[in-house]
Amino acid sequence: MQLDLNLLTTLDALLVEGSVRGAAERLHLSSPAVSRSHGRIRKLTGDDILVRTGRTMTPTPYAMAVREQVSGLVRQAGAVLAPSRELDLGTLERTFTLQCHDALTTAIAAPLLAAIAERAPGVRVRFLTEAAVDTDDLRHGRVDLEIGATTPDLPEIRTETVGHDRLVVVLRGDHPYAGRLDVEAYAAQPHLLVSRRGRLSDPVDELLAAHGLHRRVLAAVGTTATALHVAGHSDAVVTVPEVMCRPLIAAFGLAVAPLPEPLRLPPVPIVGNWHQRYDTDPGHAWLREQTRDVVSAALGGR
């Protein structure tokens, strides 16, 4: 049997107002329209709902018994169709999943978690590393917010650029070229690349080739921490975003040098990606705001 859920609204109005006319006024409908719905309700329930007693109408015992239940159902339906967009951070209980590379996690995790703990103590965060291949985790809700330098080529993915970070060269503090790294010296060093896909070249190689130079790439590694650890124990150099890698650079006691002028690339974008299902979700919007603030604060301290 297919139910017309509009009949619940009519039944609620009839039970509250105690008459067809009163229910019609409450619902902004005509009395004949409410009378027809009243007839359908009688047929479905096998009960008169309201019966005449003199000049007034009286609810039947069945109507009295279901009055609260009907009222509750109508309120629940209203809450579903017109949800509150107010966010109570003090009572919010939710786990968010963020995905970003290890250097970015190291840079933002502490201040982001501090901001969340202060404002929304019931919120937990799950940080995931970048996968070696592109995934559909955003589309299927396994990841709430992805932060990186690229944007998935999917129409339902929303994107916001939250900042930019310049590329620098990182090398050990007592490296022979720590203070004098021109383009020829840069090309002559052994290099490490950070690549989740294991790529052994990047746009720097194209710029070097334009100047008739070639560099020797020793290895590609999946995490920035691994690359910097190796650089700290060898002559290898690593080219990485400066601010987002600053905590790891400091932890390993490494030196930083600017990319030689002929190799200056545009700043690396820091991009937040999420599925459109979260566009109007207050909790997710708050998470995006906190993440944006943390990244902006980090970049402002360059």
Side-chain angles (χ1 to χ4, degrees):
M1 177 177 61
Q2 186 174 3
L3 294 178
D4 181 356
L5 296 182
N6 288 323
L7 295 179
L8 277 176
T9 304
T10 302
L11 177 57
D12 183 52
L14 287 167
L15 296 176
V16 171
E17 299 295 336
S19 70
V20 170
R21 177 179 294 181
E25 291 176 355
R26 183 182 184 90
L27 298 173
H28 304 290
L29 297 173
S30 67
S31 291
V34 173
S35 182
R36 287 193 295 271
S37 293
H38 188 191
R40 293 177 61 196
I41 293 169
R42 285 171 167 170
K43 184 176 180 180
L44 282 171
T45 63
D47 188 87
D48 287 333
I49 304 300
L50 294 175
V51 294
R52 185 166 296 281
T53 54
R55 300 179 65 180
T56 62
M57 302 292 287
T58 301
T60 65
Y62 168 79
M64 293 290 290
V66 300
R67 176 184 292 177
E68 292 300 321
Q69 184 179 5
V70 170
S71 178
L73 289 171
V74 171
R75 287 197 303 270
Q76 290 177 40
V80 170
L81 296 176
S84 171
R85 294 301 176 187
E86 294 183 4
L87 182 64
D88 185 353
L89 294 174
T91 61
L92 182 62
E93 297 282 343
R94 189 161 173 181
T95 298
F96 291 107
T97 300
L98 277 67
Q99 187 171 59
C100 47
H101 64 75
D102 65 314
L104 190 54
T105 301
T106 303
I108 71 171
L112 180 59
L113 292 176
I116 290 173
E118 178 182 354
R119 299 173 178 84
V123 168
R124 299 186 300 172
V125 180
R126 180 188 295 113
F127 288 98
L128 300 183
T129 59
E130 289 183 313
V133 296
D134 291 334
T135 69
D136 57 1
D137 288 343
L138 282 174
R139 170 179 281 176
H140 293 289
R142 291 186 288 267
V143 169
D144 295 302
L145 182 63
E146 179 186 81
I147 311 170
T150 59
T151 302
D153 188 19
L154 296 171
E156 68 267 31
I157 300 303
R158 301 289 189 255
T159 298
E160 179 186 18
T161 300
V162 296
H164 292 81
D165 199 358
R166 69 172 183 172
L167 291 171
V168 294
V169 185
V170 180
L171 61 173
R172 76 172 195 269
D174 60 348
H175 194 286
Y177 287 91
R180 49 190 180 92
L181 198 63
D182 58 22
V183 63
E184 288 80 11
Y186 174 84
Q189 306 311 308
H191 288 257
L192 295 169
L193 298 189
V194 181
S195 172
R196 62 182 176 131
R197 292 187 173 91
R199 290 173 176 167
L200 293 169
S201 64
D202 63 25
V204 170
D205 294 283
E206 298 176 12
L207 293 176
L208 286 170
H211 290 80
L213 298 170
H214 174 76
R215 65 176 173 173
R216 181 167 63 96
V217 176
L218 294 178
V221 296
T223 67
T224 308
T226 300
L228 296 184
H229 177 73
V230 174
H233 294 80
S234 69
D235 287 338
V237 300
V238 189
T239 303
V240 294
E242 179 185 19
V243 175
M244 292 301 105
C245 293
R246 183 180 290 152
L248 288 173
I249 292 170
F252 287 113
L254 301 174
V256 175
L259 267 173
E261 185 66 37
L263 305 180
R264 297 287 170 85
L265 289 164
V268 178
I270 302 173
V271 179
N273 303 309
W274 68 92
H275 194 274
Q276 65 182 0
R277 68 166 67 88
Y278 296 121
D279 279 351
T280 58
D281 180 89
H284 197 280
W286 178 77
L287 172 70
R288 298 196 302 268
E289 179 184 5
Q290 300 309 303
T291 304
R292 185 189 312 117
D293 290 347
V294 165
V295 172
S296 296
L299 293 173
R302 178 183 282 120

